[in-house]
Amino acid sequence: MSDEITFQIEQLNFYYGNTQALRDVTLTVLPREITALIGPSGCGKSTFLRCLNRMNDTITDTRISGSIVLNGQNIYAPNIDETELRRQVGLVFQRPNPFPQSIFDNVAFGPRVLGIAYGNDLQELVVQSLRAAALWDEIKEDLKQPALSLSLGQQQRLCIARVLAVTPDVILMDEPCSALDPIATNQIEELIQELKEHYTIVIVTHNMQQAARVSDKTGFFWLGELIEFDETTTIFTRPSLQQTEDYVTGRFG
Amino acid sequence: MTKLVNRKMTFNTKYRQLLEFVVEAIIRISGYSAVVFVGLIFLFLMQESLPTFGEIQARDLWSQRWYPIENYFGVLPLLSGSLIITLGAALIAIPFGLMTAIFIAEIAPLWLREILKPLVEILGGVPSVVLGFLGITVLAPLVREELYLPTGLTAFTGAVLLAGMAIPTIVSVAEDALDAVPKAYRDAALALGATRWQTIWRVTLPAARSGVLTATMLGIGRAIGETMTVMMVTGNAPQMVSGLGSLFISLRTMTATIAAEMGEVANGSLHYHVLFSIGLILFLISLTVNIAASAVLFRARKRTERLLS
């Protein structure tokens, strides 16, 4: 299992209209590892993340070149079903965005639209997902309450439960804690560590300590390029580039 | 710097206070006047229609024959005519209008949206008499020939045209509501593997439901109050409605009756007062529709406030 490759990204270029957002990004994501992507705002790390489940397809006037291979299959190949790809590669957004529906309906949404669970199986799947997202104990009394009545931290864990319910292989997280307070952030970070046992995780973060705490590998984006990618401990203790060192030590960015 | 500042503060302050007072008074009066006008209209309608009940029984009013020359003032044919034509218009306009709104808000590319939205709003501004012309010259003959009816001037013809008038209202309001749904909801649905249609049906539409409901209410309100078009194309025969089949006979609405007969009625006669009673009924119906619409909106807002507090 250890040498099985989840994502293999090669020579990835991405353009918004005439603006190039990503330049020749090459990166390999290994299974059951947490890969953190860091870099100053506007450096392309979120764009890169959204390429991995083709969420950028929903934006008009964009262009992509290069290849992203997931488990041996190029995800930009014409025969790829993007809804199935997005089931396999879940995305947790920056701001918690539960639907204005009940907790149960939020988690059940994915299984329902994909038609992968019904009746008692669906009930069980929702419960398991909420447990796996460390939310179950707080809300088990009332799954019918509106999701928007939860605290922001709970909402974000609900969004993670919603992603888990469609049984993904990879979970992408786009600054999942930037809207949360330190306690909620801590809970999410603990959750990420637990999820690592079963899922491959790619996380974009602005928080250096977070990257250092949770990730196995760290990539540093700079002006649309992935200029350094290595073991997290290496990046944070003896990076090979001066720019990386300046950034992780807080001297700029 | 200090030289640039006007130190005569006393004058300045008094002037500003006066201006503030005047502006506030004007705005206040404008606001209250809307309420006063509605109240006055209601009072006037009451005053002109109440004598009806001194002269004939409510039972006579609530009967099936409208023939004012012989003193038959049964408003049921007119009431049922209005209702069935509105129902027919709603059955056409609501699905069609909502689908158009969904297309414009969710599916059409940006350039097409920028053409369609103003076009729909222009359609909403077409005078009803022009639509009536179209109805008489194009739609009515078509209905007669295609459905093998003795006349094309039927309730159905009126319903189709009314739907045409209600659709722009429905599309415009519903599109605004759909457009106001945060993009984050759509992104979340798509990221979970939902197709575009599943996203619209299960996330966007439910999230916009109060606005969509308001849109249909406003559309229906527009249809039930419309006069000119229905007068021109429904045949104006005050026949009693006896089910959905009555859509294909000539009918008459309350609005058309008032418009057609008010001009030749003796001022202060029983007929005159009965026409005002019909106006009162119309007023009450549109009031009910509007109150229902705002009740729905109010409930939705209450819920949001509870959630955000």
Side-chain angles (χ1 to χ4, degrees):
Chain A
M1 280 297 268
S2 61
D3 52 17
E4 176 199 351
I5 289 165
T6 298
F7 264 123
Q8 194 156 22
I9 298 106
E10 270 174 33
Q11 298 291 313
L12 188 72
N13 288 282
F14 190 86
Y15 306 83
Y16 294 106
N18 291 325
T19 317
Q20 185 163 12
L22 293 175
R23 280 170 212 276
D24 293 334
V25 176
T26 298
L27 172 66
T28 300
V29 176
L30 296 175
R32 286 164 194 62
E33 275 197 349
I34 299 175
T35 305
L37 305 176
I38 59 172
S41 296
C43 68
K45 52 195 192 307
S46 288
T47 302
F48 174 76
L49 197 73
R50 291 165 64 96
C51 285
L52 298 181
N53 71 344
R54 294 187 57 170
M55 276 305 281
N56 283 329
D57 290 13
T58 61
I59 306 169
T60 50
D61 199 22
T62 57
R63 209 148 44 82
I64 190 164
S65 71
S67 73
I68 302 178
V69 175
L70 172 66
N71 299 331
Q73 177 61 271
N74 185 355
I75 64 168
Y76 280 87
N79 61 337
I80 286 288
D81 173 10
E82 56 201 79
T83 61
E84 169 58 20
L85 169 71
R86 289 178 191 146
R87 180 198 68 74
Q88 250 180 303
V89 184
L91 174 60
V92 177
F93 292 81
Q94 186 170 355
R95 276 198 68 83
N97 57 353
F99 303 124
Q101 298 167 5
S102 73
I103 291 175
F104 183 90
D105 287 340
N106 262 278
V107 183
F109 179 86
R112 278 177 177 153
V113 297
L114 295 162
I116 54 177
Y118 300 97
N120 287 336
D121 290 348
L122 182 62
Q123 302 266 350
E124 186 53 31
L125 181 60
V126 169
V127 174
Q128 280 182 10
S129 305
L130 285 167
R131 275 187 210 279
L135 186 60
W136 174 251
D137 289 334
E138 294 160 51
I139 49 90
K140 62 185 172 195
E141 281 79 24
D142 188 8
L143 293 183
K144 294 253 183 300
Q145 64 176 303
L148 294 176
S149 65
L150 298 175
S151 72
L152 275 182
Q154 289 174 322
Q155 288 185 21
Q156 193 62 303
R157 277 177 284 148
L158 178 66
C159 292
I160 294 174
R162 193 169 63 177
V163 168
L164 297 181
V166 298
T167 63
D169 301 327
V170 185
I171 301 173
L172 310 174
M173 298 187 173
D174 189 357
E175 298 181 44
C177 302
S178 65
L180 307 181
D181 65 37
I183 294 170
T185 300
N186 194 23
Q187 286 172 321
I188 300 266
E189 284 183 13
E190 281 174 16
L191 174 59
I192 292 172
Q193 290 295 348
E194 287 167 27
L195 294 176
K196 185 190 156 180
E197 309 227 336
H198 305 283
Y199 305 94
T200 306
I201 296 171
V202 184
I203 178 170
V204 163
T205 179
H206 265 293
N207 183 331
M208 286 317 113
Q209 288 81 24
Q210 185 168 71
R213 277 194 301 262
V214 303
S215 68
D216 301 304
K217 298 270 174 59
T218 298
F220 178 53
F221 275 82
W222 173 248
L223 297 176
E225 283 180 75
L226 179 66
I227 61 170
E228 189 162 0
F229 180 65
D230 214 325
E231 299 286 332
T232 297
T233 44
T234 313
I235 292 276
F236 280 91
T237 52
R238 39 179 203 289
S240 55
L241 292 176
Q242 186 62 39
Q243 276 156 312
T244 314
E245 189 176 342
D246 287 350
Y247 186 73
V248 299
T249 53
R251 245 169 277 167
F252 85 100
Chain B
M1 280 288 275
T2 44
K3 281 180 190 164
L4 297 172
V5 177
N6 183 0
R7 289 276 168 195
K8 293 178 194 155
M9 284 300 284
T10 45
F11 166 74
N12 199 3
T13 311
K14 266 183 187 162
Y15 171 72
R16 284 180 9 169
Q17 276 172 349
L18 181 69
L19 189 70
E20 189 71 14
F21 176 77
V22 171
V23 169
E24 198 185 311
I26 292 174
I27 292 175
R28 206 175 277 273
I29 290 168
S30 316
Y32 288 142
S33 68
V35 182
V36 170
F37 284 137
V38 173
L40 284 178
I41 290 171
F42 185 69
L43 281 180
F44 178 68
L45 277 176
M46 289 293 276
Q47 186 205 338
E48 294 297 318
S49 61
L50 277 181
T52 313
F53 301 98
E55 295 185 45
I56 56 171
Q57 300 285 320
R59 200 180 54 225
D60 296 329
L61 214 54
W62 201 253
S63 67
Q64 303 196 356
R65 188 145 180 230
W66 177 264
Y67 199 61
I69 296 171
E70 308 227 329
N71 275 352
Y72 288 106
F73 294 109
V75 297
L76 278 184
L78 314 176
L79 182 63
S80 62
S82 272
L83 291 181
I84 195 169
I85 290 172
T86 307
L87 179 73
L91 286 180
I92 302 167
I94 292 173
F96 196 74
L98 290 187
M99 285 190 284
T100 310
I102 289 173
F103 177 75
I104 294 177
E106 302 291 318
I107 297 169
L110 195 63
W111 62 269
L112 188 59
R113 184 182 317 180
E114 280 169 4
I115 298 172
L116 279 178
K117 188 95 201 279
L119 266 184
V120 167
E121 271 151 18
I122 290 172
L123 189 66
V126 173
S128 54
V129 69
V130 174
L131 271 181
F133 261 133
L134 272 179
I136 289 180
T137 55
V138 181
L139 188 61
L142 200 71
V143 167
R144 191 187 65 224
E145 283 160 26
E146 294 301 317
L147 299 175
Y148 305 107
L149 297 173
T151 171
L153 300 175
T154 63
F156 175 71
T157 320
V160 170
L161 284 182
L162 279 190
M165 305 195 61
I167 282 171
T169 311
I170 295 179
V171 172
S172 183
V173 178
E175 201 269 342
D176 285 343
L178 289 170
D179 204 45
V181 173
K183 187 174 179 299
Y185 294 162
R186 289 182 201 114
D187 282 351
L190 291 173
L192 287 166
T195 61
R196 192 145 74 159
W197 170 243
Q198 286 174 324
T199 305
I200 292 168
W201 184 245
R202 289 169 177 261
V203 176
T204 318
L205 258 185
R209 64 174 172 268
S210 65
V212 167
L213 219 74
T214 312
T216 53
M217 297 273 193
L218 287 173
I220 293 172
R222 169 120 205 239
I224 203 162
E226 173 50 37
T227 308
M228 188 47 80
T229 320
V230 286
M231 195 156 90
M232 288 167 83
V233 300
T234 56
N236 290 325
Q239 305 189 70
M240 194 59 203
V241 169
S242 56
L244 274 181
S246 304
L247 271 174
F248 301 100
I249 60 174
S250 292
L251 287 181
R252 180 166 345 163
T253 65
M254 297 188 286
T255 50
T257 306
I258 298 175
E261 297 178 7
M262 196 49 110
E264 43 202 61
V265 75
N267 207 334
S269 68
L270 176 59
H271 189 185
Y272 171 91
H273 291 308
V274 172
L275 288 182
F276 267 98
S277 305
I278 295 174
L280 187 66
I281 294 172
L282 267 174
F283 182 84
L284 292 177
I285 289 176
S286 72
L287 199 68
T288 313
V289 171
N290 277 311
I291 288 176
S294 30
V296 170
L297 273 186
F298 186 69
R299 256 185 52 208
R301 202 171 304 137
K302 271 292 209 214
R303 198 167 48 233
T304 324
E305 275 166 14
R306 203 176 62 231
L307 292 178
L308 295 180
S309 61

